[in-house]
Amino acid sequence: MIVVRCRTHRPRRGRISETHMTSPRYPVLDQLRVIAMFMVLLVHSPVNEELWTTPVVSFLQRFIAVGAVPAFFMLSGYLGARKLDSRSISFREYSLEKIRTLVIPFLFWNLSVLSLVLLIKILGLDSGFRGQGAYFDVELTFSSIVSAMFGIGRWPIVFQLWFLRDLIVVVFLAFFIRRYLPKIPLLPWLLLLLVPVPMASSLGYYLLGHWMRESLPPDKFPEVRGSVLFCVSWILLGIWMTMGAFVVPYPLLQIGSAAFALMLAIATVSTPWLGRLSVLGPAMFFVYATHSLLFTVIGKMWQVSGLRGYGSIFCYLIVPLIVFPLCVGAYWVLKALSPRLIALATGGR
């Protein structure tokens, strides 16, 4: 297993806290980030309502890509396990790190987009953008602005950042669960996936990832041959399910899809060309934060230009292939021009 060491900030004085130690980067996990991010694009790509139930969209959205966000929750739990379990890291240190890596990016993106939306509404230009996402359902009232900013009672203004909102709550719950509750087997935590309570499933996936860090460390990942076999089997299973042969419970579908993303990462990371995608891993949070806004802009340009086919299967497949490189390119350009801004916007990822 190849491990890459990344330098992070070191305190100027005193002992080196574990929260600031150099942390390893695993190409397989960076590859997983890239694959899961593209799966997110497939979930959010524009498609007409009447095409939702077509075999292609059903197979990609409701089978292949359905585990994208659970994969990110599990990856967060997997990578956070060392610090979460370390008794030498105080709650204060833990909190400061989570504020830097989660809270600040959450506020940065929501505040930036909310400011732009409010400016457009004040100028009276919002009618031209309605129908391109839920950005302009914010009213010019304190309660509406606060709700949109923090995702209270609704999606955040940057709606895909509900993941970050949930993760902020989950990481602090996980701290107290791991530090102050008796050690509990995995199965009870998996029951959280079935509880119809906000953020319960998010906590369940995070704790599943935490459990996997001990049971499946990177040096024990499956071999390439077994990973390929799993991927082929999962695709065949998906085709069979899409044909209506059977139904898989939704939580199992999400776990299986997340496992497919991991196995696909293992199978492709060592290949000559696809393996190079792992270098894009650090850019995936930026892509996650910006892709929806770009979807909105492309959708509006497509419609204004009078081109046919917006929302068609062709549009559904081609838009992610346009958005992904544009977001990655913007990340690298901004990183070169203003590394501090990128560090602020991505939490130092």
Side-chain angles (χ1 to χ4, degrees):
M1 178 59 62
I2 301 174
V3 179
V4 180
R5 296 281 175 180
C6 295
R7 294 183 178 179
T8 54
H9 174 72
R10 175 180 294 181
R12 294 182 179 179
R13 295 180 182 178
R15 66 180 180 87
I16 299 177
S17 167
E18 286 193 44
T19 56
H20 296 94
M21 291 175 62
T22 56
S23 56
R25 293 201 77 98
Y26 299 99
V28 167
L29 299 183
D30 277 331
Q31 189 85 338
L32 172 59
R33 286 184 175 92
V34 175
I35 292 170
M37 186 61 243
F38 200 81
M39 289 163 65
V40 169
L41 296 181
L42 289 176
V43 172
H44 293 163
S45 188
V47 63
N48 291 329
E49 187 174 351
E50 61 269 19
L51 298 178
W52 284 351
T53 56
T54 58
V56 172
V57 176
S58 294
F59 174 73
L60 292 175
Q61 277 196 349
R62 296 176 176 82
F63 189 83
I64 291 297
V66 75
V69 175
F72 280 121
F73 275 116
M74 287 188 274
L75 184 59
S76 298
Y78 190 92
L79 295 174
R82 182 173 68 99
K83 294 174 182 177
L84 190 62
D85 291 341
S86 175
R87 297 289 175 174
S88 64
I89 297 179
S90 67
F91 179 69
R92 179 178 178 276
E93 290 176 306
Y94 185 82
S95 299
L96 289 175
E97 186 199 23
K98 299 310 175 187
I99 289 172
R100 177 181 63 84
T101 59
L102 299 177
V103 176
I104 290 178
F106 178 77
L107 296 177
F108 174 88
W109 289 108
N110 281 313
L111 182 60
S112 299
V113 173
L114 184 60
S115 299
L116 178 61
V117 166
L118 293 178
L119 177 62
I120 291 175
K121 288 179 73 71
I122 290 171
L123 295 176
L125 303 175
D126 55 302
S127 60
F129 289 92
R130 289 191 179 275
Q132 302 294 326
Y135 297 107
F136 295 95
D137 59 355
V138 183
E139 302 299 330
L140 297 176
T141 63
F142 178 78
S143 60
S144 181
I145 291 172
V146 170
S147 295
M149 179 69 187
F150 297 100
I152 301 173
R154 53 155 291 163
W155 301 115
I157 186 70
V158 184
F159 79 92
Q160 69 271 24
L161 291 188
W162 70 264
F163 162 76
L164 214 56
R165 176 200 62 192
D166 283 19
L167 188 58
I168 291 168
V169 176
V170 162
V171 295
F172 286 104
L173 286 176
F175 181 89
F176 291 105
I177 287 171
R178 293 298 303 171
R179 293 292 176 91
Y180 302 111
L181 291 182
K183 190 171 183 179
I184 300 175
L186 174 65
L187 183 58
W189 294 127
L190 291 182
L191 295 178
L192 287 171
L193 306 182
L194 306 175
V195 177
V197 174
M199 303 187 190
S201 61
S202 302
L203 178 61
Y205 288 121
Y206 184 88
L207 293 173
L208 175 57
H210 178 279
W211 175 84
M212 288 177 61
R213 185 63 178 89
E214 181 178 351
S215 304
L216 189 67
D219 59 347
K220 292 185 179 179
F221 280 163
E223 297 294 330
V224 171
R225 182 178 299 179
S227 300
V228 171
L229 180 61
F230 180 92
C231 291
V232 172
S233 300
W234 185 252
I235 290 172
L236 293 176
L237 184 69
I239 294 172
W240 195 18
M241 193 193 80
T242 303
M243 294 171 61
F246 60 94
V247 176
V248 177
Y250 193 68
L252 291 180
L253 205 57
Q254 289 185 307
I255 292 174
S257 172
F260 169 77
L262 174 61
M263 296 301 176
L264 188 60
I266 294 170
T268 58
V269 74
S270 59
T271 58
W273 292 101
L274 293 177
R276 297 181 181 180
L277 291 174
S278 64
V279 302
L280 303 178
M284 290 306 100
F285 180 85
F286 183 87
V287 178
Y288 188 87
T290 56
H291 75 275
S292 180
L293 189 60
L294 194 53
F295 274 164
T296 298
V297 172
I298 290 176
K300 190 61 181 179
M301 291 174 61
W302 194 312
Q303 292 177 326
V304 169
S305 67
L307 291 175
R308 296 181 179 180
Y310 181 75
S312 66
I313 295 293
F314 171 77
C315 173
Y316 172 77
L317 295 175
I318 199 67
V319 168
L321 295 176
I322 297 172
V323 168
F324 187 84
L326 286 177
C327 289
V328 171
Y331 169 83
W332 290 114
V333 169
L334 289 175
K335 187 176 181 180
L337 295 176
S338 182
R340 289 186 177 182
L341 179 63
I342 283 294
L344 180 71
T346 64
R349 291 172 177 80

